Short mmCIF file of all heavy atoms in Angstrom, two decimals:
data_model
loop_
_atom_site.label_atom_id
_atom_site.label_comp_id
_atom_site.label_asym_id
_atom_site.label_seq_id
_atom_site.Cartn_x
_atom_site.Cartn_y
_atom_site.Cartn_z
N ALA A 656 -10.09 12.81 1.60
CA ALA A 656 -11.04 11.93 1.24
C ALA A 656 -10.61 11.17 0.03
O ALA A 656 -10.74 9.84 -0.10
CB ALA A 656 -12.34 12.42 0.99
N ALA A 657 -10.11 11.90 -0.99
CA ALA A 657 -9.57 11.19 -2.28
C ALA A 657 -8.43 10.28 -1.87
O ALA A 657 -8.16 9.25 -2.62
CB ALA A 657 -9.22 12.30 -3.22
N ALA A 658 -7.53 10.58 -0.93
CA ALA A 658 -6.55 9.67 -0.55
C ALA A 658 -6.74 8.65 0.37
O ALA A 658 -6.06 7.74 0.61
CB ALA A 658 -5.38 10.60 0.04
N GLY A 659 -8.04 8.67 0.77
CA GLY A 659 -8.49 7.51 1.74
C GLY A 659 -8.00 7.63 3.19
O GLY A 659 -7.83 6.53 3.83
N VAL A 660 -7.73 8.84 3.64
CA VAL A 660 -7.28 9.02 5.02
C VAL A 660 -8.03 10.24 5.61
O VAL A 660 -8.81 10.83 4.88
CB VAL A 660 -5.83 9.48 4.98
CG1 VAL A 660 -4.88 8.39 4.42
CG2 VAL A 660 -5.54 10.75 4.38
N SER A 661 -7.87 10.25 6.88
CA SER A 661 -8.59 11.35 7.55
C SER A 661 -7.96 12.62 7.40
O SER A 661 -6.79 12.77 7.09
CB SER A 661 -8.61 11.03 9.15
OG SER A 661 -7.27 11.18 9.78
N ARG A 662 -8.75 13.75 7.67
CA ARG A 662 -8.21 15.15 7.48
C ARG A 662 -7.17 15.31 8.56
O ARG A 662 -6.11 15.99 8.22
CB ARG A 662 -9.38 16.09 7.64
CG ARG A 662 -8.97 17.48 7.25
CD ARG A 662 -10.18 18.36 7.18
NE ARG A 662 -10.85 18.46 8.44
CZ ARG A 662 -11.61 19.31 8.89
NH1 ARG A 662 -11.99 20.36 8.14
NH2 ARG A 662 -12.07 19.47 10.04
N GLN A 663 -7.21 14.72 9.63
CA GLN A 663 -6.28 14.86 10.75
C GLN A 663 -4.83 14.33 10.30
O GLN A 663 -3.78 14.74 10.47
CB GLN A 663 -6.75 14.15 11.99
CG GLN A 663 -5.64 14.37 13.20
CD GLN A 663 -5.54 15.91 13.51
OE1 GLN A 663 -6.50 16.66 13.58
NE2 GLN A 663 -4.33 16.41 13.62
N THR A 664 -4.96 13.07 9.51
CA THR A 664 -3.71 12.54 9.06
C THR A 664 -3.04 13.58 8.04
O THR A 664 -1.81 13.66 8.06
CB THR A 664 -3.98 11.24 8.23
OG1 THR A 664 -4.48 10.34 9.26
CG2 THR A 664 -2.78 10.72 7.62
N LEU A 665 -3.85 14.16 7.21
CA LEU A 665 -3.37 15.15 6.29
C LEU A 665 -2.58 16.29 7.07
O LEU A 665 -1.44 16.65 6.71
CB LEU A 665 -4.44 15.77 5.35
CG LEU A 665 -4.02 16.60 4.19
CD1 LEU A 665 -4.98 16.54 3.06
CD2 LEU A 665 -3.99 18.04 4.78
N TYR A 666 -3.31 16.85 8.06
CA TYR A 666 -2.65 17.90 8.81
C TYR A 666 -1.46 17.50 9.68
O TYR A 666 -0.53 18.15 9.77
CB TYR A 666 -3.76 18.63 9.79
CG TYR A 666 -4.66 19.51 8.99
CD1 TYR A 666 -5.86 19.22 8.65
CD2 TYR A 666 -4.24 20.87 8.71
CE1 TYR A 666 -6.69 20.05 8.04
CE2 TYR A 666 -5.04 21.77 8.02
CZ TYR A 666 -6.29 21.32 7.60
OH TYR A 666 -7.06 22.23 6.94
N ASN A 667 -1.55 16.29 10.14
CA ASN A 667 -0.27 15.70 10.88
C ASN A 667 0.91 15.66 9.86
O ASN A 667 1.98 15.78 10.20
CB ASN A 667 -0.60 14.33 11.40
CG ASN A 667 -1.53 14.32 12.51
OD1 ASN A 667 -1.88 15.44 13.09
ND2 ASN A 667 -2.07 13.19 12.88
N GLU A 668 0.67 15.29 8.63
CA GLU A 668 1.68 15.15 7.59
C GLU A 668 2.19 16.37 7.06
O GLU A 668 3.46 16.66 6.95
CB GLU A 668 1.23 14.28 6.48
CG GLU A 668 2.18 13.74 5.67
CD GLU A 668 3.13 12.71 6.19
OE1 GLU A 668 2.53 11.81 6.96
OE2 GLU A 668 4.31 12.76 6.04
N PHE A 669 1.32 17.55 6.87
CA PHE A 669 1.67 18.60 6.23
C PHE A 669 1.61 19.99 7.04
O PHE A 669 2.10 21.01 6.58
CB PHE A 669 1.08 18.83 4.82
CG PHE A 669 1.18 17.69 3.85
CD1 PHE A 669 0.20 16.68 3.82
CD2 PHE A 669 2.42 17.49 3.25
CE1 PHE A 669 0.48 15.64 2.78
CE2 PHE A 669 2.75 16.55 2.44
CZ PHE A 669 1.67 15.58 2.20
N GLY A 670 0.80 19.83 8.00
CA GLY A 670 0.54 21.05 8.94
C GLY A 670 -0.43 21.93 8.48
O GLY A 670 -1.17 22.43 9.22
N SER A 671 -0.54 22.21 7.17
CA SER A 671 -1.36 23.21 6.72
C SER A 671 -1.59 23.18 5.12
O SER A 671 -0.79 22.30 4.48
CB SER A 671 -1.02 24.63 6.90
OG SER A 671 0.21 24.90 6.29
N LYS A 672 -2.48 23.87 4.56
CA LYS A 672 -2.58 23.78 3.15
C LYS A 672 -1.44 24.26 2.55
O LYS A 672 -0.91 23.84 1.44
CB LYS A 672 -3.85 24.57 2.57
CG LYS A 672 -4.17 24.44 1.24
CD LYS A 672 -5.48 25.10 0.85
CE LYS A 672 -5.77 24.93 -0.67
NZ LYS A 672 -7.01 25.63 -0.94
N ASP A 673 -0.66 25.36 3.12
CA ASP A 673 0.54 25.78 2.50
C ASP A 673 1.64 24.77 2.57
O ASP A 673 2.41 24.62 1.75
CB ASP A 673 1.05 27.05 3.28
CG ASP A 673 0.18 28.36 2.97
OD1 ASP A 673 -0.44 28.31 1.92
OD2 ASP A 673 0.17 29.28 3.82
N GLY A 674 1.66 23.95 3.68
CA GLY A 674 2.65 22.94 3.85
C GLY A 674 2.44 21.84 2.68
O GLY A 674 3.35 21.32 2.19
N LEU A 675 1.20 21.47 2.43
CA LEU A 675 0.84 20.66 1.39
C LEU A 675 1.20 21.08 -0.03
O LEU A 675 1.84 20.49 -0.70
CB LEU A 675 -0.65 20.40 1.35
CG LEU A 675 -1.25 19.41 0.19
CD1 LEU A 675 -0.59 18.10 0.33
CD2 LEU A 675 -2.74 19.33 0.29
N ALA A 676 1.01 22.44 -0.18
CA ALA A 676 1.41 23.05 -1.47
C ALA A 676 2.99 22.95 -1.72
O ALA A 676 3.44 22.65 -2.68
CB ALA A 676 1.03 24.50 -1.50
N ARG A 677 3.78 23.32 -0.57
CA ARG A 677 5.18 23.24 -0.76
C ARG A 677 5.65 21.82 -0.91
O ARG A 677 6.57 21.72 -1.72
CB ARG A 677 5.84 23.93 0.52
CG ARG A 677 5.62 25.44 0.67
CD ARG A 677 6.37 25.93 1.85
NE ARG A 677 7.86 25.89 1.68
CZ ARG A 677 8.57 26.70 0.96
NH1 ARG A 677 7.97 27.80 0.31
NH2 ARG A 677 9.90 26.59 0.82
N ALA A 678 5.10 20.95 -0.25
CA ALA A 678 5.49 19.46 -0.45
C ALA A 678 5.12 19.02 -1.74
O ALA A 678 5.97 18.39 -2.46
CB ALA A 678 4.78 18.59 0.64
N LEU A 679 3.93 19.52 -2.40
CA LEU A 679 3.71 19.16 -3.86
C LEU A 679 4.58 19.69 -4.86
O LEU A 679 5.22 18.99 -5.60
CB LEU A 679 2.25 19.56 -4.03
CG LEU A 679 1.75 19.44 -5.47
CD1 LEU A 679 1.57 17.75 -5.76
CD2 LEU A 679 0.32 20.03 -5.74
N VAL A 680 5.05 20.96 -4.61
CA VAL A 680 5.92 21.59 -5.53
C VAL A 680 7.32 20.91 -5.26
O VAL A 680 7.95 20.71 -6.24
CB VAL A 680 6.03 23.16 -5.15
CG1 VAL A 680 7.18 23.82 -5.92
CG2 VAL A 680 4.70 23.78 -5.61
N ARG A 681 7.77 20.63 -4.14
CA ARG A 681 9.00 20.02 -3.88
C ARG A 681 9.04 18.68 -4.63
O ARG A 681 10.03 18.23 -5.23
CB ARG A 681 9.31 19.77 -2.34
CG ARG A 681 10.52 18.93 -2.03
CD ARG A 681 11.72 19.59 -2.54
NE ARG A 681 12.15 20.80 -1.74
CZ ARG A 681 13.03 21.66 -2.10
NH1 ARG A 681 13.75 21.34 -3.16
NH2 ARG A 681 13.29 22.71 -1.46
N ARG A 682 8.05 17.93 -4.57
CA ARG A 682 7.95 16.58 -5.12
C ARG A 682 8.15 16.65 -6.59
O ARG A 682 8.74 15.93 -7.25
CB ARG A 682 6.69 15.85 -4.73
CG ARG A 682 6.61 14.58 -5.53
CD ARG A 682 5.33 13.74 -5.22
NE ARG A 682 4.27 14.27 -6.02
CZ ARG A 682 3.13 13.58 -6.20
NH1 ARG A 682 3.07 12.35 -5.56
NH2 ARG A 682 2.17 13.98 -6.89
N GLU A 683 7.42 17.81 -7.23
CA GLU A 683 7.60 18.10 -8.69
C GLU A 683 8.95 18.48 -9.12
O GLU A 683 9.42 18.02 -10.17
CB GLU A 683 6.48 18.96 -9.15
CG GLU A 683 5.04 18.55 -8.98
CD GLU A 683 4.80 17.10 -9.48
OE1 GLU A 683 4.96 16.83 -10.57
OE2 GLU A 683 4.22 16.44 -8.59
N VAL A 684 9.58 19.30 -8.26
CA VAL A 684 10.96 19.57 -8.61
C VAL A 684 11.87 18.30 -8.50
O VAL A 684 12.69 18.04 -9.49
CB VAL A 684 11.66 20.57 -7.42
CG1 VAL A 684 12.94 20.72 -7.59
CG2 VAL A 684 10.97 21.94 -7.57
N ASP A 685 11.73 17.45 -7.50
CA ASP A 685 12.40 16.29 -7.51
C ASP A 685 12.21 15.34 -8.62
O ASP A 685 13.17 14.83 -9.23
CB ASP A 685 12.13 15.45 -6.19
CG ASP A 685 12.59 16.21 -4.97
OD1 ASP A 685 13.41 17.28 -5.07
OD2 ASP A 685 12.15 15.89 -3.86
N GLY A 686 10.93 15.19 -9.10
CA GLY A 686 10.65 14.35 -10.23
C GLY A 686 11.19 14.91 -11.57
O GLY A 686 11.72 14.14 -12.35
#
Side-chain angles (χ1 to χ4, degrees):
V660 301
S661 70
R662 191 170 61 161
Q663 187 58 50
T664 298
L665 187 148
Y666 281 102
N667 289 346
E668 195 67 43
F669 301 104
S671 67
K672 189 174 179 182
D673 287 341
L675 175 61
R677 289 185 69 82
L679 179 61
V680 171
R681 172 63 66 191
R682 182 179 79 162
E683 299 311 308
V684 168
D685 292 346

